[in-house]
């Protein structure tokens, strides 16, 4: 094979220029400086050609100051001299110096203008690049192909579609439509500026298309969620590069077509000329994570190890996420421990946290959180959600307080998560604090926060506040907003209003979901609207094509049962296409107790106990029903059966919050520090309401005892003790909010109506099924509960 020697220099200047270029290629700056010295000694430093070469050497070697010194010393300068210096500053991002040089150039050419445009573009100063281009056109200098591709990139970056269209007209005028890099830049600009129609026109008119052209169109279709069109384009390609395959794999993954993403990945591996890069592997692992395909994820991990692929950054985080989501949380933890926490991103951390939450292990998740070098709002929120999902509400609140003190500013997702804690605790005091925080941070208008506020206020017994929040988001309401308000109205006994709101929702074109229908059917249940309930049950299936779930079935059983249609309720259960659960039989049993249908109650209790043998509620309901019917012997046998099987009855508790402290009371509670004052208050109330006409419902005491003993027990029910404490501990005329873990009994319900009239206060009681608002001697449930 013949090896060509470098061309023989025709002069000393050519000789030195050749060695300067060689030094530049070999990156030998020391040799270049030696040549500079030889040039000076030889007296050749006044020649423009050699000085341009020397300046070019310094500029491209990173010595811009030395290059500028040579420019200043040159007695004669060409446009190449100026442009060399200008390009050096622009490429280094030293745009102020570049701009000074630019305006010193006596006759700027297209290279001068393009150098400035490229410099601005590379530094992300896209508006400056566009302004420079406008000045260039105004000065009468024609843009080059390189100018056009760069200015189109600037337009794409800031979605300046109108300017991009004007640049397109220059492309046509300059005859550059057949230039593939230019048309690809045009394609990219129209895609980034959300003009897919023009992008397709440009693509279809291209006489020559390269791989990049096809890749842009695949990206366009994926962005528009048209995965079918993306696949069609992909299949038409004669040659595909890594970007083509990655566009398909990541596009499928991002749109939830994870199996298809893995199939494309598998086909890519069959191409011996292509190797997956970090983007390919990250997308494939993400697809495995979404499908929870641990075995396939392990195969990809094995491939990574076998090919000695460097697992850093995106790939390592994707591995951690895959293992954490697919049941291999301990392997994910080992990967983190082996490589450290420095590159662990929030997505991987959240997946790891999620994995531990599924296992019910929050401590390791907290250790990882504490090890994160940078904790952003997503990491803090993920930790709070983890505590909430694990039932650790106090830890969630404590973590939120720490976030407020030393973490990033909470966002709408954080506030929604913390509001769910307030809802669980029914803490109006804390919920109001979060609402105030949301207002201060301008997050209160967020739909997710507003929806959480509606639920929080509703569960804390403040229906008017829930309505106020709902009314404030009139223009932004989504399905969750409407559903939250409908559920709130149903829980508070405003069934007719809940139904009116549902009809308004339908009239507004908002599509209800399965939870919305649970709310509507509950509303019908709480006010006894049987016909309406039937109509909505069939509307749900016929109009909105929602298949009933166990929740919907339970609502219908409750609707029929509360209305005394016990046989219809039983027939409904027998006709269910799925096996009735504990709630379904429990609803029927509760209705049988109210309407004293012993025979059907026995059937419901037996079926319930077959599903859940240790369900204390079934035993208690049946025993109480026997007692209410005077069948003391049968009741005693049921209670004996409970003792023999070791089944413990659920203890009834009531609680209320006073000055940010929760006070809990049981029946005949004698543990509270203020018990003497509480019992004195109860005794006085009992006397006063009896004078007003209250008659104790001794049938609510389901034991064979003397009337006086029964009255004594009734006086000291937990909700009466909680009310007495509230009356002596809170300002007059303030609302009392009592929470109870079981349903309120007949006697307490009647007594509290009298108490509300006696003390002139509203008393809100939330029991296990609904809210009761007692005011002026009446209850919002209208005695239908």
């Amino acid at each position: 094979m013949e090896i060509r020697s470098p061309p023989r220099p025709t002069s000393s200047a050519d000789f030195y220029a050749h060695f300067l270029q060689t030094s530049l290629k070999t990156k030998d700056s020391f040799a270049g400086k030696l040549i500079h010295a030889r040039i000076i000694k030889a007296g050749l430093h006044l020649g423009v050609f050699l000085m341009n070469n020397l300046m070019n050497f310094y500029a491209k070697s990173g010595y811009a100051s030395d290059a500028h010194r040579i420019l200043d010393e040159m007695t004669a300068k060409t446009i190449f001299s100026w442009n060399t210096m200008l390009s050096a500053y622009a490429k280094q991002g030293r745009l102020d110096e570049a701009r000074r040089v630019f305006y010193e150039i006596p006759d700027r050419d297209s290279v001068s203008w393009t150098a400035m445009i490229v410099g601005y573009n590379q530094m992300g100063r896209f508006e400056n690049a566009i302004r420079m281009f406008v000045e260039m056109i105004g000065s009468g200098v024609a843009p080059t192909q390189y100018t056009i591709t760069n200015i189109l990139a600037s337009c794409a970056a800031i979605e300046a579609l109108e300017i991009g269209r004007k640049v397109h007209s220059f492309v046509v005028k300059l005859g550059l439509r057949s230039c593939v890099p230019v048309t690809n830049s045009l394609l990219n600009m129209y895609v980034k500026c959300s003009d897919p129609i023009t992008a397709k026109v440009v693509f279809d008119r291209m006489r020559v298309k390269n791989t990049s052209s096809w890749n842009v169109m695949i990206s366009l279709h994926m962005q528009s969620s048209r995965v079918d069109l993306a696949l069609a384009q992909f299949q038409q390609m004669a040659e595909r590069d890594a970007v083509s395959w990655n566009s398909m794999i990541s596009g499928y993954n991002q749109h939830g077509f994870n199996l298809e993403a893995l199939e494309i990945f598998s086909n890519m591996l069959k191409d011996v000329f292509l190797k997956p890069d970090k983007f390919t592997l990250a997308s494939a692992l993400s697809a495995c994570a979404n499908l929870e395909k641990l075995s396939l994820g392990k195969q990809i991990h094995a491939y990574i190890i076998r090919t000695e692929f460097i697992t850093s950054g995106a790939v390592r985080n994707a591995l951690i996420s895959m293992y954490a989501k697919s049941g291999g949380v301990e392997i994910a933890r080992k990967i983190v421990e082996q490589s450290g926490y420095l590159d662990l991103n929030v997505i991987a951390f959240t997946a790891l946290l999620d994995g531990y939450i599924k296992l019910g292990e929050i401590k390791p998740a907290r250790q990882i959180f504490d090890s994160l070098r940078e904790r952003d709002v997503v990491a803090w929120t993920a930790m709070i959600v983890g505590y909430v999902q694990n039932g650790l509400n106090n830890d969630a609140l404590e973590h939120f307080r720490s976030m407020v003190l030393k973490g990033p500013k909470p966002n709408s997702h954080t506030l929604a998560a913390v509001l769910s804690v307030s809802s669980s605790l029914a803490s109006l005091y804390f919920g109001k604090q979060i609402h105030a925080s949301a207002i201060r941070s301008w997050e209160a208008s967020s739909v997710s926060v507003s929806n959480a506020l509606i639920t929080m206020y509703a569960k804390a017994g403040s229906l008017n506040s829930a309505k106020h929040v709902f009314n404030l988001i009139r223009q932004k309401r989504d399905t969750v907003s409407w559903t939250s308000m409908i559920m709130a109205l149903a829980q508070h006994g405003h069934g007719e209003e809940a139904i009116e709101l549902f009809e308004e929702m339908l009239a507004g074109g908002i599509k209800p979901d399965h939870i919305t229908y649970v709310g509507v059917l509950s509303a019908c249940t709480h006010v006894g609207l049987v016909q309406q309930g039937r109509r909505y049950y069939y509307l749900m299936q016929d109009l909105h094509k929602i298949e009933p779930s166990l929740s919907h079935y339970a609502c219908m059983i409750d609707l029929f049962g509360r209305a005394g249609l016990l046989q219809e309720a039983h027939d409904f259960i027998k006709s269910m296409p799925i096996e009735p659960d504990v709630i379904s039989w429990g609803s029927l049993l509760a209705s049988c107790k109210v309407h004293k249908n012993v025979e059907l109650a026995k059937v419901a209790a037996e079926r319930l106990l077959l599903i859940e043998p240790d369900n204390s509620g079934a035993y208690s309901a049946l025993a109480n029903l026997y007692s209410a019917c005077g069948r003391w012997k049968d009741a005693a046998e049921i209670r004996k059966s409970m003792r023999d099987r070791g089944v413990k009855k659920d203890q009834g508790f009531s609680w209320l919050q006073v000055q940010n402290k929760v006070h809990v009371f049981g029946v005949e509670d004698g543990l509270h520090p203020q018990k003497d004052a509480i019992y004195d208050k109860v005794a006085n109330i009992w006397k006063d309401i009896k004078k007003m006409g209250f008659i104790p419902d001794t049938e609510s005491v389901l034991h064979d005892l003397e009337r006086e003993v029964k009255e004594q027990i009734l006086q000291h029910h937990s909700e009466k003790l909680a009310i007495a404490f509230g009356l002596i501990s809170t300002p007059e005329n303030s609302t009392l909010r009592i929470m109870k873990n079981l349903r309120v009994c007949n006697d307490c319900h009647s007594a509290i109506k009298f108490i509300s009239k006696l003390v002139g206060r509203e008393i809100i009681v939330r029991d296990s099924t609904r809210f009761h608002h007692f005011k002026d001697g009446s209850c919002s449930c209208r005695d239908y509960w």
Side-chain angles (χ1 to χ4, degrees):
M1 179 179 172
E2 183 183 354
I3 301 175
R4 291 186 179 182
S5 57
R8 183 182 296 276
T10 58
S11 67
S12 298
D14 288 337
F15 178 81
Y16 286 123
H18 168 71
F19 276 108
L20 280 171
Q21 290 166 12
T22 303
S23 299
L24 189 60
K25 287 177 183 176
T26 58
K27 298 181 180 179
D28 189 347
S29 58
F30 182 71
K33 288 179 180 179
L34 286 176
I35 294 165
H36 187 181
R38 295 291 295 271
I39 290 169
I40 294 171
K41 282 184 180 180
L44 299 172
H45 58 284
L46 299 177
V48 176
F49 168 73
L50 197 52
M51 287 301 98
N52 279 345
N53 272 272
L54 191 58
M55 186 168 57
N56 183 58
F57 163 75
Y58 278 121
K60 290 183 177 177
S61 298
Y63 299 101
S65 299
D66 293 323
H68 204 150
R69 194 178 301 113
I70 291 171
L71 179 71
D72 290 341
E73 292 171 357
M74 290 174 69
T75 53
K77 303 178 180 72
T78 64
I79 189 64
F80 180 85
S81 314
W82 291 105
N83 286 344
T84 299
M85 195 65 251
L86 173 61
S87 296
Y89 281 135
K91 286 177 181 176
Q92 290 182 17
R94 296 166 65 175
L95 296 179
D96 289 339
E97 289 102 319
R99 191 175 179 82
R100 280 196 289 272
V101 171
F102 177 79
Y103 283 111
E104 287 178 23
I105 300 174
D107 295 305
R108 305 175 199 109
D109 63 3
S110 61
V111 177
S112 316
W113 289 94
T114 303
M116 284 302 299
I117 290 168
V118 171
Y120 281 129
N121 198 26
Q122 288 176 344
M123 294 304 293
R125 292 169 63 176
F126 305 113
E127 292 88 349
N128 296 82
I130 291 170
R131 278 197 290 271
M132 186 62 70
F133 177 74
V134 172
E135 283 184 40
M136 178 183 184
I137 301 303
S139 68
V141 178
T144 65
Q145 168 190 325
Y146 193 47
T147 320
I148 296 291
T149 55
N150 272 275
I151 205 63
L152 285 170
S154 294
C155 293
I158 58 172
E159 299 183 17
L161 180 60
E162 291 310 311
I163 295 170
R165 291 187 196 281
K166 291 176 182 176
V167 176
H168 191 171
S169 67
F170 277 104
V171 171
V172 175
K173 192 181 295 183
L174 296 168
L176 293 173
R177 282 185 295 182
S178 59
C179 178
V180 176
V182 171
T183 47
N184 282 346
S185 295
L186 269 174
L187 262 181
N188 181 62
M189 184 274 296
Y190 281 119
V191 169
K192 294 283 175 62
C193 293
S194 303
D195 186 357
I197 296 172
T198 311
K200 190 175 186 308
V201 170
V202 171
F203 179 79
D204 291 341
R205 288 179 178 175
M206 288 175 70
R207 293 177 184 174
V208 180
K209 301 179 178 79
N210 65 7
T211 306
S212 296
S213 317
W214 291 92
N215 289 345
V216 172
M217 289 306 291
I218 290 170
S219 175
L220 167 65
H221 294 316
M222 283 298 185
Q223 284 176 24
S224 306
S225 302
R226 293 301 306 271
V227 293
D228 53 336
L229 295 179
L231 179 61
Q233 299 270 232
F234 181 76
Q235 289 172 336
Q236 290 176 51
M237 292 179 73
E239 292 182 10
R240 304 174 185 131
D241 60 8
V243 176
S244 318
W245 291 93
N246 287 346
S247 296
M248 290 301 299
I249 295 166
S250 64
Y252 271 135
N253 173 227
Q254 289 165 10
H255 288 93
F257 295 90
N258 295 294
L259 282 173
E260 289 81 355
L262 292 173
E263 187 180 343
I264 294 282
F265 173 68
S266 176
N267 290 335
M268 180 184 183
L269 292 178
K270 295 171 186 174
D271 190 331
V272 294
F273 298 106
L274 279 174
K275 285 187 178 180
D277 59 18
K278 62 182 180 180
F279 302 107
T280 324
L281 294 169
S283 295
L285 287 166
S286 173
C288 291
N290 293 339
L291 294 168
E292 297 185 12
K293 284 187 172 290
L294 182 60
S295 59
L296 192 54
K298 282 182 174 180
Q299 288 179 40
I300 296 174
H301 192 183
Y303 170 85
I304 289 168
I305 294 168
R306 193 168 61 250
T307 57
E308 298 182 347
F309 195 94
I310 299 171
T311 54
S312 62
V315 176
R316 188 171 69 90
N317 280 298
L319 270 173
I320 293 164
S321 296
M322 182 277 295
Y323 278 117
K325 288 182 178 179
S326 307
V329 68
E330 285 306 322
I331 301 175
R333 179 67 179 266
K334 285 177 184 174
I335 294 172
V336 173
E337 288 173 348
Q338 287 168 1
S339 50
Y341 294 90
L342 292 179
D343 294 328
L344 185 66
N345 68 12
V346 174
I347 296 170
F349 163 72
T350 306
L352 202 51
L353 172 63
D354 235 19
Y356 277 114
I357 289 167
K358 286 177 183 175
L359 297 174
E361 297 178 17
I362 202 73
K363 189 176 178 182
R366 180 57 193 261
Q367 288 171 348
I368 292 169
F369 175 83
D370 290 338
S371 303
L372 285 175
R373 185 174 60 178
E374 292 183 8
R375 305 170 200 153
D376 66 2
V377 66
V378 179
W380 281 88
T381 304
M383 197 67 233
I384 291 168
V385 170
Y387 281 129
V388 172
Q389 291 179 351
N390 250 11
L392 301 170
N393 290 325
N394 289 331
D395 294 281
L397 294 181
E398 191 58 40
H399 197 67
F400 176 71
R401 290 189 186 101
S402 297
M403 181 182 183
V404 171
L405 290 172
K406 57 186 180 184
K409 181 182 172 184
N411 64 12
S412 60
H413 301 290
T414 321
L415 294 169
V418 180
L419 282 166
S420 74
V421 178
S422 300
S423 298
S424 299
L425 299 174
S427 174
L428 184 61
Y429 172 80
F430 188 73
K432 282 183 173 179
Q433 286 186 318
I434 302 301
H435 192 176
S437 175
I439 292 169
R440 286 195 299 272
S441 61
W442 300 97
E443 294 286 0
S445 59
S446 158
V447 177
S448 60
V449 172
S450 297
N451 293 344
L453 280 168
I454 293 166
T455 301
M456 181 278 295
Y457 278 122
K459 288 190 174 181
S462 184
L463 186 62
N464 286 335
S465 297
K467 287 180 180 179
H468 177 69
V469 174
F470 179 75
N471 290 333
L472 285 176
I473 55 167
R474 181 172 295 277
Q475 303 301 322
K476 298 181 181 179
R477 294 171 191 164
D478 60 8
T479 300
V480 178
S481 313
W482 290 90
T483 301
S484 300
M485 198 63 234
I486 289 166
M487 294 283 278
L489 291 165
Q491 288 172 340
H492 286 264
H494 296 257
E496 291 90 348
E497 195 176 341
I499 290 167
E500 285 176 16
L501 194 64
F502 177 66
E503 293 291 349
E504 186 183 336
M505 176 185 180
L506 295 181
I510 309 295
K511 187 178 178 181
D513 59 18
H514 67 287
I515 302 174
T516 317
Y517 271 106
V518 170
V520 173
L521 294 175
S522 296
C524 295
T525 297
H526 286 308
V527 290
L529 297 173
V530 177
Q531 292 305 321
Q532 281 279 65
R534 281 199 188 98
R535 188 172 77 82
Y536 288 130
Y537 177 71
Y538 292 114
L539 186 73
M540 173 181 74
Q541 299 169 74
D542 298 338
L543 179 63
H544 294 114
K545 309 303 179 187
I546 297 172
E547 285 297 315
S549 66
L550 281 167
S551 297
H552 301 114
Y553 292 132
C555 286
M556 293 304 291
I557 295 162
D558 206 19
L559 174 67
F560 296 137
R562 285 172 190 251
L565 304 171
L566 299 178
Q567 191 56 52
E568 188 169 352
H570 190 210
D571 292 341
F572 185 88
I573 289 178
K574 289 190 288 185
S575 69
M576 284 168 56
I578 55 178
E579 195 65 32
D581 63 354
V582 170
I583 297 172
S584 301
W585 289 113
S587 294
L588 181 60
L589 180 57
S591 297
C592 289
K593 178 187 166 188
V594 171
H595 296 286
K596 298 184 179 179
N597 187 323
V598 176
E599 295 310 312
L600 193 51
K602 285 171 67 177
V603 173
E606 285 170 5
R607 296 301 299 270
L608 197 159
L609 291 170
L610 279 174
I611 303 169
E612 201 173 277
D614 294 331
N615 189 299
S616 62
Y619 288 103
S620 297
L622 199 52
N624 292 345
L625 178 53
Y626 283 136
S627 299
C629 296
R631 294 169 59 170
W632 304 110
K633 185 178 177 182
D634 292 332
E637 285 179 5
I638 295 291
R639 292 193 176 100
K640 182 179 182 300
S641 179
M642 282 182 74
R643 289 192 298 272
D644 292 344
R645 296 190 182 192
V647 179
K648 293 184 178 179
K649 181 184 175 182
D650 290 335
Q651 195 70 28
F653 292 102
S654 297
W655 63 93
L656 76 163
Q657 188 172 351
V658 176
Q659 294 181 347
N660 203 25
K661 184 179 178 183
V662 176
H663 298 261
V664 183
F665 298 89
V667 178
E668 300 281 356
D669 200 315
L671 298 175
H672 197 278
Q674 293 173 256
K675 63 180 179 180
D676 292 338
I678 292 168
Y679 275 79
D680 285 345
K681 186 67 174 177
V682 167
N684 291 332
I685 289 172
W686 195 256
K687 289 176 187 175
D688 290 339
I689 61 175
K690 286 179 78 173
K691 288 177 184 176
M692 294 169 66
F694 167 67
I695 300 171
D697 182 9
T698 52
E699 288 187 8
S700 294
V701 180
L702 302 169
H703 295 276
D704 191 11
L705 301 169
E706 295 295 325
R707 183 177 177 83
E708 290 77 11
V709 178
K710 286 186 175 184
E711 279 203 34
Q712 183 72 14
I713 293 170
L714 290 171
Q715 271 190 69
H716 300 146
H717 273 192
S718 63
E719 50 266 63
K720 294 190 182 86
L721 296 176
I723 289 169
F725 172 72
L727 290 173
I728 64 176
S729 306
T730 58
E732 288 186 15
N733 301 320
S734 62
T735 301
L736 291 184
R737 302 174 193 276
I738 313 296
M739 308 295 160
K740 184 174 172 62
N741 65 327
L742 302 177
R743 290 180 73 170
V744 65
C745 74
N746 289 335
D747 182 78
C748 285
H749 192 271
S750 178
I752 299 170
K753 286 196 291 184
F754 279 92
I755 295 170
S756 69
K757 190 170 186 178
L758 174 70
V759 299
R761 295 212 212 180
E762 183 179 7
I763 302 172
I764 301 172
V765 178
R766 190 188 83 178
D767 68 8
S768 60
T769 59
R770 65 177 298 154
F771 280 88
H772 299 265
H773 292 252
F774 298 93
K775 192 173 183 181
D776 299 326
S778 62
C779 179
S780 59
C781 74
R782 305 171 197 170
D783 298 337
Y784 186 86
W785 89 100

